[in-house]
């Protein structure tokens, strides 16, 4: 069985130029704990996993091997304005207000808070979730504008 978590922890530790003991000191665990993670015999507890992910600028999902996207903020949650940089579709102020309203309306439906794997999202994760919803709505708006705007009204359409 492949040890993705251990391999990624070891790789990230080496990127930080740390020994197992050095990483253990930072995370307040023993060198043996780090060794067991890297060998795949143990997995870090959630609070330590989150601390390690923050330290390495990656997600816990990346560390656990559930995604190959190392840094969501770079790959997934870019500014919505960058979503349409390669095409001629631009959002106007009304579109941006509509997206904000739709995002807020969607999030209002989550009165008890959003949950992932049975745990309520903390503020940082909720903000990432909110940005994902907003980016999804932005992408849909841009796609619909491209699809439903008559050619005679499109800017620079070849």
């Amino acid at each position: 069985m492949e040890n993705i978590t251990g391999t990624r922890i070891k790789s990230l530790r080496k990127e930080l130029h740390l020994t197992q003991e050095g990483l253990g000191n930072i995370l307040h665990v023993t060198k043996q704990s780090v060794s067991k993670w890297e060998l795949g015999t143990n997995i870090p507890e959630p609070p330590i996993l989150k601390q390690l992910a923050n330290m390495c600028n990656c997600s816990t999902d990346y560390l656990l091997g559930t995604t190959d996207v190392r840094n969501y903020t770079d790959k997934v949650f870019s500014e919505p304005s960058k979503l349409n940089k390669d095409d001629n579709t631009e959002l106007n102020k009304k579109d941006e207000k509509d997206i904000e309203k739709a995002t807020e309306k969607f999030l209002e439906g989550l009165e008890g808070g959003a949950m992932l794997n049975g745990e309520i999202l903390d503020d940082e994760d909720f903000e990432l979730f909110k940005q994902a919803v907003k980016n999804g709505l932005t992408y849909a708006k841009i796609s619909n504008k491209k699809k439903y705007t008559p050619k005679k009204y499109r800017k620079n359409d070849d």
Side-chain angles (χ1 to χ4, degrees):
M1 187 167 161
E2 191 177 359
N3 175 22
I4 295 173
T5 300
T7 303
R8 289 188 176 171
I9 290 173
K10 183 175 184 177
S11 173
L12 293 167
R13 174 181 60 79
K14 287 184 174 187
E15 279 182 26
L16 296 170
H17 306 287
L18 292 171
T19 63
Q20 288 180 339
E21 185 174 11
L23 180 60
N25 289 337
I26 292 169
L27 298 172
H28 305 291
V29 298
T30 64
K31 174 188 178 213
Q32 290 77 15
S33 291
V34 176
S35 176
K36 288 179 181 180
W37 300 339
E38 291 180 2
L39 291 172
T41 56
N42 281 356
I43 295 176
E45 292 291 321
I48 293 173
L49 193 66
K50 189 167 183 176
Q51 184 181 0
L52 183 58
N54 287 337
M55 204 173 105
C56 297
N57 194 27
C58 66
S59 69
T60 54
D61 285 338
Y62 175 78
L63 287 174
L64 294 171
T66 57
T67 183
D68 290 329
V69 177
R70 180 171 170 176
N71 188 333
Y72 285 114
T73 56
D74 291 343
K75 304 268 184 191
V76 179
F77 300 115
S78 60
E79 289 297 314
S81 61
K82 293 179 184 175
L83 290 172
N84 64 340
K85 69 179 183 180
D86 295 330
D87 61 42
N88 296 318
T89 307
E90 293 184 21
L91 297 178
N92 57 38
K93 295 286 183 193
K94 182 186 180 311
D95 294 333
E96 291 173 4
K97 284 181 183 178
D98 289 346
I99 291 167
E100 285 295 327
K101 284 181 185 177
T103 301
E104 292 304 318
K105 185 174 182 178
F106 177 82
L107 295 175
E108 284 174 10
L110 306 174
E111 292 176 18
M115 295 183 79
L116 180 64
N117 295 331
E119 295 184 22
I120 294 180
L121 296 179
D122 62 21
D123 290 342
E124 180 182 340
D125 291 336
F126 187 78
E127 283 303 313
L128 289 174
F129 178 73
K130 180 179 178 178
Q131 188 63 48
V133 169
K134 186 175 179 180
N135 283 349
L137 291 169
T138 299
Y139 180 78
K141 178 69 88 171
I142 290 168
S143 295
N144 286 335
K145 285 184 100 170
K146 284 167 46 173
K147 187 175 182 179
Y148 297 112
T149 301
K151 286 187 179 185
K152 66 181 184 178
Y153 296 113
R154 294 184 195 171
K155 295 179 183 176
N156 303 323
D157 194 23
D158 294 320

